[in-house]
Amino acid sequence: IMQIDILTPEKKLFSGEIKSVKLPGTDGEFEILNNHAPIISTLSSGKIHLIQHDQSKQSFEINGGVIEMQKNNIIVLAE
């Protein structure tokens, strides 16, 4: 089970448990699944796509940012 927090300077966009997330990386889109190796990466503008455990999907438009994943905890600092 992965926990994700998507934060902007203004507010928290999303916080919860997810199955997978696709992110707009600076070098192209990438996906993070459960038990992914620790990663820190920059993000470009684009969409974050979440898939929750009940298969429901959510998307968030961002203008860039940073992601950190460690021990199935993901923090996205988005603009």
Side-chain angles (χ1 to χ4, degrees), residues 22-31 41-45 47:
K22 279 190 182 153
L23 300 142
T26 310
D27 296 329
E29 187 175 71
F30 65 97
E31 184 171 23
S41 180
T42 54
L43 301 173
S44 60
S45 59
K47 280 195 173 165

Side-chain angles (χ1 to χ4, degrees), residues 26 31 42 47 51 58 66 70 73:
T26 310
E31 184 171 23
T42 54
K47 280 195 173 165
I51 298 178
Q58 275 189 285
V66 178
Q70 202 170 348
N73 286 314

Side-chain angles (χ1 to χ4, degrees), residues 23-65:
L23 300 142
T26 310
D27 296 329
E29 187 175 71
F30 65 97
E31 184 171 23
I32 295 180
L33 300 168
N34 204 24
N35 295 322
H36 194 285
I39 183 174
I40 293 176
S41 180
T42 54
L43 301 173
S44 60
S45 59
K47 280 195 173 165
I48 297 176
H49 299 281
L50 302 176
I51 298 178
Q52 293 172 281
H53 286 286
D54 61 2
Q55 300 302 318
S56 65
K57 297 177 181 176
Q58 275 189 285
S59 294
F60 301 95
E61 190 77 39
I62 64 165
N63 293 319

